[in-house]
Structure formats: structure tokens, C-alpha cells
Amino acid sequence: MLADDCENDYYRFGDIYLVGPGVVVISHPEDCKKVLFNHRFVKNKFYRAFALIEDNIYATQSTQLAMLRRRQLRHAFTPGYLKQMESTMLQCGLLLLKKRWDSRLGKQKQIQVQMENEFMHLAVGVIGALGYGQGPTNWNSHTRSQLIQWIHDYNLLSLVRLLVPLADKFPISLLFTHLIQSKCQFALSVDSAAESRLNECQQSKANRKADILQALLEGEDLESGSRMTRQQVVAENIAIIIASTDIVAQTLTWVFHYLLLCPHIYRKAAEEVRNAFSHTHLITFDEAKAQLPYVEACIYEAARIRAATGVFLPRVVPNEGVWIQGHFLPAGTQIGINIAGANHHRETWHDPQIFRPERFINNPQSKAHVLSFSAGVRMCPGKNLALYELLTTTANLLKDYEFSLPNSARFGRGKVDQSGRPVAMPRAHRFTSVGPKYPHRDCQVIVQKAQ
Ligand code: HEM
């Protein structure tokens, strides 16, 4: 199912349609929530391909395991723990990116960057630091590129396993030696980070670090007292790293793309930030949340109009079947939750194809209708961490830099569709997320220091 098709198919076929034998796609937000809030609609077997180390929070079809991991990881995503991780996130993400740009801007008045690539390095810097438990000095461009390569290979191997179920069994595995070796190196590196952290903790019980690695090693289910084995820690850490890089990078890319397509919105957001904070101030998440409602609205609007998860989320109908939009779907039917369709649903959103952040101002409850982080029992557990990254990055970059499109840009610069709306760059489905189709062509942006 292609990314563009999901949105277009909603406009063509409406709330429910068949895409193949026994495969139904639904888009009405209430129907989507009915499925997503019920544990009995399990993830379909597609997800098993992502259990390359062992079953994990993302891949599992087991309700028990999904609930257990959420209880064990509960601590990692609480507001208090996120606050403790914020300084690492800023240093290893935003500040490293700014350092790179500033060093180039020291020599030139303006630079050209490929936004998706920049944001991929930012997202990998953040999750790498939190997952490996290392500071900014360990995250140079070489280590970031290595991690990006492992993530890419891991995703590719998952895809291969989906298409060729025996891909990791001899002799078929010989065809994929490179990907299998890459997965092993990835797992070994995560395991050795766990080992070092356990040694550090044994040597000194005080000054425990606050990061994802520590949260996984200490994660305890208060009901049963159970903790994860070392291999489970590695599998979950990798699942979190995979689930939180491309998608953050792509969401940031869509935010900046839409701001550049709509110069009046870009100006309003930049002015909000610059009026609220001095040039030298590093804006934290709490400050942005309290003082930058328009910037936050831009992020929600970009996540709505071009969800980086804009493909459908597959679930299986349980034994009792389900009624949706007057149709009875029997047990075993595959249901695709059309996130792009729900985010464009005409009963929920006025003019859904228009990028209009104002729809979230003075109407905070409308954020809950954006399904880009999914909803219910398997909703994204990292949503708040993602919002930390999205909000602090967008706010600080808008404060410190001026962005514009190069003369060669194919989008923006007055290019509109038949209804007068700016045309956004084409998108493509990449593994589990939706990003620009031609990033090298369409994500080029001119950056200058803000005056
Ligand atoms: C803009 C950023 C993000 C978006 C839009 C997003 C969106 C989503 C969505 C839609 C799902 C459900 C997937 C499905 O059911 O197939 C999901 C699951 C998940 N996300 Fe995120 N996510 C983001 C960032 C993060 C971050 C930063 C983390 C962790 C640090 C994370 C960890 C996870 C995990 C572990 C799952 C699996 C949960 C389960 O199946 O029970 N995500 N995410």
C-alpha cells in the first residue's frame, strides 16, 4: 500500500473499502479508535518480521507481552524522567546540528543543507545517546553514520524476512550474509553498552544516569516484579532505536517543508519564537510548551496533514467479528487502520487538505484527533519523547536561523494545485514510515543565521 494511495483512497472510497481478499481498510476516526483501543484486535503477522533478535514491544502479537513491556518501560516516558533526559537530548541532537551549521556559516553567509539527512543525524544522535548511554563526544558523524547504516540494514532484513520467510535460515541466509552480519554487529554494540552500564552501576551505586538504557536495565513490572533478561534488553533497545529515528527525522522534515511552502505561516511561527526568547537562549521543552502555542500547532498540523506513519496499521479481527459502518467483518479479517485517512477525515477536519495550524489554537482537544502516534493499547509509547525532540528542535532552529528554498526548488515558489493550495513534494513509503520520495532533489534548503 503506497503512502499517497492511503490518503487518496480515503478521498475516493470513504470510510471503509476492500483492498484485497479479506483485507479491509477503515478511516473513520471512531472506527479506528474502536479497533485500536481493544486488545483483542492484535497486530497482524507482518510485525513478526521485526523480531530479529527476539519478540519485542513493537513486533509482538502477544497482548501479555505488549502489556508487560509497557509496565516495565512505564518509567522511561514519564514527564519527570523525560526532564532528566532533556539535557542529553539537546546536546546530542540539536546542539550538534547547530555546531555543524555554525562552523560552515562561519565561513559562508549561507549554506545549503539536505533537511531529511540533517534531521536523520539529529534523531540518531538523540536516540543513540539515550540507547547507548553515551554523551555528545561519542556521537561524531562517523558513529552516527554507522548507526544509520545498522538501522537501514535492520529494516531491510525485516523486509526481506517478510517477503522470504526463511531468509535467516541456511542456505537461503547465504544470500543475505551482509545484512545478517550487520544485524549481529548492531546487537553486539547494544549489548556491550548494556555490559558497560552494568559494570558502572556495580562500581558506583550513586549518580545513576537517566536514559533509555538505564530504564531498560532497571525496568520492573511492579505487579510481578519481573525484569528483562539481557537479551530482552538488547531486543527492546533496538526496537526503540528503530521505532524512533526515521519517523522523527521525517516528521521534522514535513514540518519544515510545510513551513517553507507557506511563508506567512513560517513568518508567524518564527516571530512567535523570536518575540518570546532572546537570541542566546536555549529553549527547553517546558518553555516551548508554555510560550509557543503556534509553533506547537505547526508541528501537530504537519503531523496531521502528512503523517510520517501515513500508511495503514494492520490488525486482525478477533473470533467474535466486528460491525463497522454497517458491514460485519468476520474473524480473521485483516483491518488496515488508515492513519492518513483518519487525519484527513472530513467530519473531523474542516478543509483537511489545507495546512492551517490555527485549527489547533484555542482548540487543544483537537490534538487528540490527530492519529499520527496511533491511539489505544498499542499507541506510540515514545510520543512524549518525540514531542520533546520536535518542539525543542523546531523552536530553536526557527529562532536561530532563517530558512528559504533554493532557486532550483520544484515546490513552493507559488506552485499551487487547481484549488490554489501549495503542492507538497511527493512522498514514498520507507519501511515503517513515510518520507520524501526524492530527498536529494526536494529537501534542499538554504540556511542563514537569523539577524
Ligand atoms: C514523530 C515521532 C513518532 C511518531 C509519529 C510515532 C508513531 C508511532 C505509531 C503510529 C505507532 C504504532 C505503530 C503500529 O501500530 O504499527 C508507534 C509505535 C511505537 N513507537 Fe512511535 N512514533 C514516534 C516516535 C517514537 C519514539 C521517539 C519512540 C521511542 C523512544 C517510539 C517508540 C515506539 C514503540 C516502541 C512503538 C511500538 C508500541 C507497541 O506496539 O505497543 N516512537 N509509533
Side-chain angles (χ1 to χ4, degrees):
M1 171 65 69
L2 298 173
D4 271 329
D5 289 348
C6 285
E7 186 181 317
N8 295 339
D9 285 353
Y10 160 68
Y11 283 109
R12 284 170 69 199
F13 306 124
D15 290 340
I16 183 162
Y17 53 91
L18 205 61
V19 288
V23 188
V24 169
V25 174
I26 61 172
S27 299
H28 194 294
E30 291 313 314
D31 296 334
C32 296
K33 286 181 186 165
K34 182 173 172 177
V35 171
L36 290 170
F37 276 85
N38 187 339
H39 262 304
R40 291 186 54 73
F41 292 80
V42 294
K43 286 185 165 185
N44 85 349
K45 62 180 192 297
F46 155 86
Y47 291 91
R48 283 212 298 262
F50 290 88
L52 290 181
I53 313 287
E54 69 167 69
D55 208 5
N56 59 64
I57 184 167
Y58 181 76
T60 194
Q61 294 179 285
S62 151
T63 301
Q64 283 72 22
L65 184 67
M67 289 166 72
L68 173 66
R69 288 290 181 266
R70 269 169 198 265
R71 292 196 297 270
Q72 288 170 325
L73 280 171
R74 186 185 35 92
H75 183 55
F77 302 111
T78 55
Y81 203 70
L82 288 169
K83 195 82 221 137
Q84 288 182 61
M85 295 194 283
E86 183 172 30
S87 154
T88 308
M89 287 191 234
L90 287 169
Q91 285 183 47
C92 298
L94 175 77
L95 294 180
L96 279 186
L97 176 140
K98 283 190 58 181
K99 199 170 153 195
R100 250 187 354 264
W101 287 3
D102 289 347
S103 118
R104 289 178 63 196
L105 283 167
K107 299 175 201 123
Q108 309 158 62
K109 189 168 168 289
Q110 61 180 43
I111 55 172
Q112 184 163 324
V113 298
Q114 202 267 71
M115 283 306 243
E116 193 205 26
N117 190 36
E118 297 295 318
F119 290 141
M120 190 65 190
H121 275 262
L122 179 141
V124 146
V126 171
I127 200 63
L130 297 178
Y132 283 83
Q134 290 168 353
T137 46
N138 299 79
W139 289 101
N140 57 36
S141 80
H142 173 71
T143 43
R144 285 196 307 267
S145 301
Q146 173 64 82
L147 187 49
I148 290 172
Q149 188 61 48
W150 281 335
I151 292 169
H152 179 268
D153 289 347
Y154 190 96
N155 276 324
L156 198 54
L157 188 57
S158 305
L159 194 68
V160 166
R161 267 191 15 143
L162 193 65
L163 303 173
V164 187
L166 297 177
D168 47 3
K169 300 275 178 296
F170 185 81
I172 300 177
S173 60
L174 292 175
L175 294 171
F176 308 108
T177 315
H178 160 72
L179 294 179
I180 294 169
Q181 276 174 353
S182 172
K183 176 202 81 172
C184 294
Q185 284 167 3
F186 190 4
L188 276 174
S189 72
V190 173
D191 187 56
S192 109
E195 166 116 38
S196 312
R197 178 58 60 83
L198 286 170
N199 289 340
E200 268 175 47
C201 291
Q202 264 182 352
Q203 279 160 20
S204 150
K205 296 253 181 286
N207 297 330
R208 286 270 162 87
K209 287 190 179 154
D211 51 33
I212 299 277
L213 178 61
Q214 193 71 26
L216 285 164
L217 289 167
E218 288 181 349
E220 184 177 338
D221 170 23
L222 295 179
E223 279 177 26
S224 63
S226 84
R227 286 187 172 204
M228 283 173 255
T229 64
R230 177 87 159 260
Q231 175 154 309
Q232 287 166 346
V233 166
V234 172
E236 296 302 343
N237 206 347
I238 288 185
I240 288 174
I241 291 171
I242 299 285
S244 62
T245 31
D246 297 41
I247 203 143
V248 168
Q250 281 155 16
T251 303
L252 280 168
T253 305
W254 290 119
V255 170
F256 277 82
H257 182 65
Y258 271 93
L259 288 176
L260 287 167
L261 291 185
C262 309
H264 60 292
I265 296 177
Y266 168 75
R267 282 265 61 86
K268 198 169 162 184
E271 272 164 27
E272 180 183 66
V273 188
R274 291 176 198 174
N275 289 338
F277 298 99
S278 79
H279 178 58
T280 49
H281 186 77
L282 177 64
I283 307 167
T284 64
F285 176 76
D286 286 347
E287 289 170 337
K289 196 76 191 121
Q291 296 182 59
L292 303 176
Y294 195 72
V295 173
E296 190 186 15
C298 290
I299 292 168
Y300 270 91
E301 181 63 344
R304 181 195 70 78
I305 201 165
R306 273 288 182 280
T309 40
V311 194
F312 69 68
L313 310 181
R315 299 291 188 266
V316 185
V317 174
N319 287 343
E320 61 274 24
V322 64
W323 284 94
I324 291 186
Q325 298 289 327
H327 301 274
F328 181 72
L329 309 183
T333 307
Q334 308 281 320
I335 294 191
I337 309 289
N338 185 346
I339 297 285
N343 279 350
H344 279 250
H345 201 265
R346 282 173 282 222
E347 284 167 28
T348 311
W349 307 102
H350 186 59
D351 292 336
Q353 288 177 304
I354 295 184
F355 184 75
R356 187 186 291 143
E358 285 75 7
R359 63 175 92 240
F360 293 100
I361 302 288
N362 298 330
N363 194 9
Q365 66 277 20
S366 54
K367 290 181 197 155
H369 300 313
V370 177
L371 285 191
S372 308
F373 291 92
S374 185
V377 292
R378 301 296 294 269
M379 173 182 178
C380 177
K383 178 179 178 183
N384 290 338
L385 196 157
L387 289 174
Y388 259 74
E389 292 183 70
L390 299 174
L391 200 47
T392 54
T393 303
T394 308
N396 282 293
L397 292 185
L398 286 175
K399 173 173 68 63
D400 296 337
Y401 302 94
E402 207 59 75
F403 297 89
S404 56
L405 291 167
N407 288 335
S408 58
R410 291 192 180 208
F411 300 92
R413 307 193 160 276
K415 187 171 179 193
V416 290
D417 65 13
Q418 288 164 339
S419 320
R421 295 182 293 249
V423 178
M425 61 182 160
R427 60 195 141 163
H429 181 208
R430 316 243 198 92
F431 304 119
T432 51
S433 60
V434 177
K437 191 166 185 181
Y438 307 110
H440 296 290
R441 186 191 75 183
D442 295 339
C443 293
Q444 302 293 339
V445 171
I446 305 288
V447 182
Q448 289 175 286
K449 284 262 193 199
Q451 294 306 317

